[in-house]
Amino acid sequence: MKIGALEAGGTKMVCAIGDENGNIIERISIPTETPEITMPKIIEFFKAAKVEAIGVGCFGPVDLNRASAQYGYITSTPKLSWRNFDILGNLKRELNVPIGFDTDVNASALGEATYGITKGLDVSIYITIGTGVGVGVFINGQLLHGMLHPEAGHILLERHKEDTFGGSCPYHQNCFEGLASGPAIGKRYGKSANELSDCDEVWKLEAYYIAQALYNYTCMFSPNKIVLGGGVMHQKQLYPLIREEFKKIMNGYIDTKEVRDLENFIIAPSLNDNQGILGCLELANREMRLLL
Ligand code: ADP
Ligand code: ZN
């Protein structure tokens, strides 16, 4: 069966064709311009492939409430031409196939939980630290939605006493994204994050913030594993620093076999950057099952 996958991002739209077992057959990337320019290209690709269902993992915030009139809309994004755009409706009208829809980070969480390192676990969390910070929560076989979807990139953290940077989030001074996203690092040091690899203090402070967030997520969701992806996590030295800081903050409080083995608890993605696309394929599978 031919299934389409769309990883809709703020800079590029990755479109792929695969099947219901997670085999990826073909993939293209289309720059994200305006909906008027970009959507027809996406639609043409899926039409030509004659896909029977599609899964979409979309940058957000998005409306995921099936009872809402705006279900499937991109809502308050800073990308103005996409604000309040009915991306799901647009695809449905043109392609007329079942379409599963979720956030980009939820798609990645689902990809890992279906085909990757968190397969078979009761609770797993996927965090992306890049242009923004996104968190996808997979609980007992389902992605967590509720009234919206978790906005756990905006949890408040305790600022390091020597950190005078005001934060990059327009809404909060001390949120995770505002203190630790790629752009936050860039603004704090006046240099882009990928040029700071050799600067140890940058990654120590970054680990200090990430570990606090992970500690909070661990206390709230009791995950069996936490996966950390996104551009900033290309700095591999972060993983051991985060584990070390996490252990300090935990201070022995939760004492499970998982927390005693942080190398297998706080981990990197396992699917060679295909976790998002594979998650989209699974979103399509799940939508088809729902419609049966
Ligand atoms: P996006 O979040 O836009 O989907 P990414 O996850 O690749 O995409 O995140 C891009 C951000 O990650 C950039 O703001 C940049 O600061 C940061 N980044 C990208 N590559 C690196 C790197 N090698 N080291 C540190 N930061 C990086
Ligand atoms: Zn914020």
Side-chain angles (χ1 to χ4, degrees), residues 128 130-132 182-183 193-194 203 230-232 234-235:
T128 176
T131 307
N194 54 348
W203 309 109
V232 171
H234 288 146
Q235 301 290 330

Side-chain angles (χ1 to χ4, degrees), residues 83-137:
R83 188 174 283 184
N84 298 319
F85 178 66
D86 179 12
I87 184 166
L88 177 62
N90 190 284
L91 291 167
K92 270 192 174 158
R93 272 191 297 280
E94 295 289 336
L95 294 159
N96 202 25
V97 293
I99 305 181
F101 185 74
D102 216 310
T103 63
D104 44 7
V105 68
N106 264 349
S108 292
L110 183 60
E112 287 289 350
T114 310
Y115 297 109
I117 191 100
T118 56
K119 187 174 175 179
L121 301 179
D122 289 339
V123 180
S124 56
I125 298 179
Y126 187 100
I127 303 166
T128 176
I129 306 176
T131 307
V133 175
V135 181
V137 182

